Amino acid sequence: MALKKQRIAPQTGAAFQINAGERLRITDPDGAQVCDLIAFDRRDTRHALSSGRSIDYANNIYLSTGDTLYSNRSEPFFEIERDDVGRHDFLLTPCSPETFALLYDDAPADHPSCFMNLVENLAAYKIEPDQIPTTFNIFMTVGVGADGELSIERPRSKPGDCIELRAMTDLIVGLTSCSAEKSNDGSFGPIDFEVLRDA
Amino acid sequence: MALKKQRIAPQTGAAFQINAGERLRITDPDGAQVCDLIAFDRRDTRHALSSGRSIDYANNIYLSTGDTLYSNRSEPFFEIERDDVGRHDFLLTPCSPETFALLYDDAPADHPSCFMNLVENLAAYKIEPDQIPTTFNIFMTVGVGADGELSIERPRSKPGDCIELRAMTDLIVGLTSCSAEKSNDGSFGPIDFEVLRDA
């Protein structure tokens, strides 16, 4: 049963609540689009999703079906129950005005960014910009060379591919349709999401 | 000129202040020892070191001489001016009680940890446990396989090797001599550090 269904327009974001036990399905309707995800404990927003804890406990930088996304208090926030794509990034912070200033040539000062889209949408939950850490960057394909160099590649998601995350506690979630040309191969598609309760 | 010189005993930590322009030299006196580093802006401790920003802007997970360690506000916190070893980790959170419970067989519940050593030393600066994110894990050698799998290897630091970081703003710094058997090949040496002002 879908409790919520929403489309995130290109280069925008959304924030919403999900209860323990519900499923979050995130779909890439057109393919090759990235969706940055962040989450906070609804009872205490200092308790947040942690890249470093999740990667450490999985002993792998690429999380997929069966893996757990942990918080900064080492508590499970999500379990990945379905993953049509199998490749996501959990190393990089959401693109921000500074990202475009430092890494892009000729990006306008008002270039949309995942960071500002998260800031604006999470403000309703009194979450401050400094609280937004490294995001789980769904469908983002980042390779790591033997010398540690990163290569941002075209997302492997095909039209209609999705990932499903089971919420393990009551959460506030922020999501984006990524604004960065380099992460989505310049395609800027939307992102669809649903909050589902099992029958 | 050394303003401060201190030895961090095995499996303990320290916290101190450093001013913009001063240099922090961290030395591994016996070799193969890891030192977790975290830093906060002294004027506002919500402003903290960021793995995700630093890795993104360097386009590399292995930072060394010439690289900048950025904050969550994309401001430079440190520049690496000298690096005898050339290999450090910036992916993993400091070892914590939960790390030992989840990843180690038979670790006692009171096993020392970098996280608790940072928490205890940074409490003097009113920094809370939830504020401690992924640390810059000096001398820690973590490999990433093509499938994303992590391999924690023996640190490459030889006795007396050091790294020097130039502080770019006024900071509170937390450091440890890492408590985790897997990161230092079970050797548990001390870590020396100095705060230096150029003549």
Side-chain angles (χ1 to χ4, degrees), chain A residues 46 52-53 55 59-62 72-74 91 93-94 96 98-99 103 128 130 134 147-150, chain B residues 46 52-53 55-57 59-62 72-74 91 93-94 96 98-99 128 130 134 147-150:
Chain A
R46 295 172 302 182
R53 292 277 162 219
I55 287 173
N59 200 43
N60 200 302
I61 60 169
Y62 301 131
N72 58 350
R73 295 181 192 170
S74 298
L91 301 184
T93 32
S96 68
E98 295 82 5
T99 308
L103 299 183
E128 297 183 353
D130 286 330
T134 299
D147 60 355
E149 192 177 7
L150 300 176
Chain B
R46 295 173 301 181
R53 293 277 161 219
I55 287 173
D56 199 358
Y57 300 150
N59 201 43
N60 200 303
I61 61 168
Y62 301 130
N72 58 350
R73 296 181 190 168
S74 297
L91 301 185
T93 33
S96 68
E98 295 81 7
T99 308
E128 297 183 354
D130 286 330
T134 298
D147 60 355
E149 192 176 5
L150 300 176

Side-chain angles (χ1 to χ4, degrees), chain B residues 6-119:
Chain B
Q6 189 175 324
R7 169 158 290 194
I8 303 174
Q11 297 188 301
T12 70
F16 56 95
Q17 303 187 42
I18 186 169
N19 297 315
E22 293 172 353
R23 253 181 314 139
L24 173 60
R25 179 188 293 154
I26 295 165
T27 302
D28 180 355
D30 298 340
Q33 177 58 34
V34 166
C35 168
D36 289 7
L37 175 148
I38 193 62
F40 300 87
D41 183 339
R42 219 148 73 200
R43 295 157 302 179
D44 181 353
T45 59
R46 295 173 301 181
H47 185 201
L49 186 68
S50 169
S51 160
R53 293 277 161 219
S54 301
I55 287 173
D56 199 358
Y57 300 150
N59 201 43
N60 200 303
I61 61 168
Y62 301 130
L63 303 190
S64 187
T65 308
D67 285 321
T68 300
L69 276 58
Y70 283 91
S71 73
N72 58 350
R73 296 181 190 168
S74 297
E75 293 179 19
F77 264 18
F78 287 110
E79 290 189 355
I80 304 177
E81 293 196 340
R82 173 182 171 177
D83 182 2
D84 295 345
V85 178
R87 188 64 176 269
H88 317 282
D89 170 68
F90 212 172
L91 301 185
L92 302 177
T93 33
C95 62
S96 68
E98 295 81 7
T99 308
F100 292 103
L102 287 165
L103 299 183
Y104 283 68
D105 293 330
D106 303 322
D110 62 348
H111 193 296
S113 71
C114 287
F115 184 73
M116 291 312 298
N117 284 327
L118 291 172
V119 166

Side-chain angles (χ1 to χ4, degrees), chain A residues 39-61:
Chain A
F40 300 87
D41 183 340
R42 217 147 75 201
R43 296 157 302 179
D44 181 353
T45 59
R46 295 172 302 182
H47 184 202
L49 186 68
S50 168
S51 161
R53 292 277 162 219
S54 301
I55 287 173
D56 199 357
Y57 300 151
N59 200 43
N60 200 302
I61 60 169

